[in-house]
Amino acid sequence: MPLSSPEFESRRRLLRNLALAASVGGLAATRLRAAEELPLLSVDDPAAKAVKYVEDAKKVKEAQGNTCANCSLYNGKDGSVQGPCQIIKGKAVKAAGWCNAWAPQM
Ligand code: SF4
């Protein structure tokens, strides 16, 4: 098959797209792993104090039974013990936690 043939060009494009797809998939997996491995937010962290974050929502009357796990800003997997929160950058929050920025899921 000549290098300038349409078939060769088509195969070359296909291989390039497959390589790109593999690269994007790998990046997404790396990001997901990184999110799962975030250090846990300490209640003494200024970001935690700013929103009155607690690790156990049951200990706070204001939580009214809500937790990070059912907050729309929680990005942890279903059933996870901890995970990322959209307003707490670079740290994970406990699924059983709560803060005064809690927002209902739509
Ligand atoms: Fe938890 Fe939601 Fe507060 Fe984040 S915004 S700490 S997920 S209650």
Side-chain angles (χ1 to χ4, degrees), residues 71-99:
C71 173
S72 64
L73 302 172
Y74 184 67
N75 285 341
K77 289 181 189 169
D78 285 345
S80 59
V81 175
Q82 65 186 56
C85 163
Q86 293 177 38
I87 66 164
I88 308 289
K89 300 297 175 202
K91 302 274 173 75
V93 297
K94 291 207 169 194
W98 177 86
C99 84

Side-chain angles (χ1 to χ4, degrees), residues 24-87:
V24 170
L27 184 62
T30 300
R31 282 192 172 174
L32 190 58
R33 253 193 320 277
E36 290 169 355
E37 295 167 5
L38 289 173
L40 192 60
L41 177 68
S42 163
V43 293
D44 296 325
D45 189 300
K49 288 184 173 179
V51 290
K52 298 184 178 172
Y53 169 77
V54 294
E55 292 183 331
D56 186 355
K58 289 181 192 156
K59 295 181 177 171
V60 183
K61 198 174 176 182
E62 301 158 80
Q64 300 177 331
N66 296 313
T67 64
C68 292
N70 64 17
C71 173
S72 64
L73 302 172
Y74 184 67
N75 285 341
K77 289 181 189 169
D78 285 345
S80 59
V81 175
Q82 65 186 56
C85 163
Q86 293 177 38
I87 66 164

